[in-house]
Amino acid sequence: MQMMLYDKANLEDHYVPKEDWKVAAYQAFAAKMTNREDKFPCIPATLGFAHNHLKYGFVPDPRSSEAPAAVSELVRQFTDNSRQFGKYTSLILFFHTPDDLRHHSSVEHYESLFWDLLSRTSGEDTLDWPAHIPTEPSHHFWEYCLHGESYFVYCATPSHVNRQSRYFPYFMLALTPRWVLVEFNKVPKQAETMKPLIRQRLEAYDTISSHPDLKLYGEMDNYEWKQYFLRDDHSSAPSCPFSRHTQKKSHASEGQGTS
């Protein structure tokens, strides 16, 4: 399966496979990023969209056996080139979401699916976990890592209602490299001005107050994994469901049908 990264120019010029769901997914995302009445809370994301810093990929059904390898390959391509894409870059992954998944899945089901996908995708990683990132999600400096890069992972689903900031008509992930967030915070005036604006937008966008797990990276009481998938209420999982697969794959072993 050949996986490709696209940018806004590619997609708006219709340089994309013609499957209807792919066209619809991108159009729904573009509408969300450009809505001037209901402004999407994450201002850096809207800037990334406006400046064509975002990259996009299309992935099979997240339940499928093909999905982890597809995610891994797209993240690899993105990681290898992300510093050339712009200071607001993120990787947006749209997943084929069949009707049975879209219309008959609870938020909790999507949460389980999300963590299962991240765990399975880690089994595709051929690089060591970065030495400076703790391997235990219970550590306040833990982040999801793939291909040697640490990422903040955002998940949106068709089942979110109260948190429209986490609603999308398809299962969707957005992966933002830690270096993007570090660079953003290197300009204190910009960061201090934008953060309260983001909170204000969030309060207006959702019909429920901000989730108590939304905190700052590195704070002793912050756990990044809790922010990756926010439930549609104020609850959260008692422990991180992520299970890191440490066994690496090699081209030789793949050729022999083992891993």
Side-chain angles (χ1 to χ4, degrees), residues 104-123:
H104 302 289
S105 296
S106 64
V107 170
E108 290 73 21
H109 177 75
Y110 277 115
E111 181 179 36
S112 177
L113 181 59
F114 167 75
W115 286 112
D116 178 66
L117 178 65
L118 288 195
S119 297
R120 289 190 294 144
T121 300
S122 74

Side-chain angles (χ1 to χ4, degrees), residues 1-248:
M1 183 189 310
Q2 184 178 10
M3 307 306 298
M4 292 183 60
L5 290 181
Y6 298 90
D7 64 17
K8 182 170 70 167
N10 297 150
L11 297 176
E12 292 183 353
D13 289 340
H14 306 293
Y15 179 65
V16 62
K18 298 300 183 182
E19 289 93 335
D20 289 344
W21 77 266
K22 295 181 179 180
V23 176
Y26 174 74
Q27 289 177 344
F29 182 80
K32 209 171 182 72
M33 293 296 104
T34 57
N35 191 320
R36 294 184 177 275
E37 294 183 0
D38 296 319
K39 296 181 178 179
F40 189 70
C42 184
I43 298 172
T46 63
L47 291 171
F49 179 82
H51 294 302
N52 198 20
H53 292 180
L54 305 181
K55 298 297 176 182
Y56 307 89
F58 298 94
V59 187
D61 186 327
R63 300 168 296 183
S64 70
S65 60
E66 296 86 3
V71 171
S72 179
E73 173 57 19
L74 290 167
V75 174
R76 184 195 65 77
Q77 293 179 31
F78 179 81
T79 302
D80 288 348
N81 300 284
S82 64
R83 293 179 184 272
Q84 305 171 30
F85 296 151
K87 64 180 181 180
Y88 295 116
T89 193
S90 289
L91 173 60
I92 312 300
L93 297 179
F94 302 121
F95 289 77
H96 183 222
T97 311
D99 286 346
D100 68 309
L101 180 60
R102 185 184 304 179
H103 299 305
H104 302 289
S105 296
S106 64
V107 170
E108 290 73 21
H109 177 75
Y110 277 115
E111 181 179 36
S112 177
L113 181 59
F114 167 75
W115 286 112
D116 178 66
L117 178 65
L118 288 195
S119 297
R120 289 190 294 144
T121 300
S122 74
E124 302 290 332
D125 201 351
T126 59
L127 298 181
D128 291 331
W129 192 267
H132 66 288
I133 301 295
T135 58
E136 292 300 324
S138 58
H139 195 287
H140 60 282
F141 278 125
W142 180 88
E143 297 185 273
Y144 184 68
C145 298
L146 197 62
H147 297 297
E149 182 66 78
S150 55
Y151 282 99
F152 181 88
V153 186
Y154 158 102
C155 183
T157 82
S159 291
H160 280 80
V161 176
N162 297 323
R163 298 192 191 283
Q164 283 294 298
S165 57
R166 295 290 175 133
Y167 167 79
F168 195 69
Y170 298 84
F171 186 77
M172 187 193 92
L173 301 184
L175 295 94
T176 303
R178 173 54 51 184
W179 69 261
V180 169
L181 304 172
V182 169
E183 290 299 313
F184 174 77
N185 286 305
K186 278 184 178 179
V187 185
K189 185 175 181 180
Q190 169 187 265
E192 291 307 311
T193 299
M194 201 173 290
K195 286 175 182 176
L197 289 177
I198 292 172
R199 289 284 180 163
Q200 290 172 19
R201 283 193 181 191
L202 189 61
E203 293 291 340
Y205 204 79
D206 293 345
T207 60
I208 191 172
S209 59
S210 297
H211 199 288
D213 289 333
L214 290 177
K215 299 175 183 178
L216 297 177
Y217 178 67
E219 291 184 345
M220 292 298 293
D221 62 345
N222 174 68
Y223 304 100
E224 289 293 279
W225 67 267
K226 290 188 174 185
Q227 300 186 51
Y228 290 0
F229 190 104
L230 293 182
R231 293 178 177 175
D232 216 26
D233 54 22
H234 291 313
S235 67
S236 57
S239 61
C240 183
F242 174 66
S243 175
R244 185 167 70 94
H245 293 254
T246 57
Q247 187 176 17
K248 297 181 185 178

Side-chain angles (χ1 to χ4, degrees), residues 249-259:
K249 289 190 174 184
S250 68
H251 294 299
S253 64
E254 287 176 349
Q256 297 167 5
T258 61
S259 61

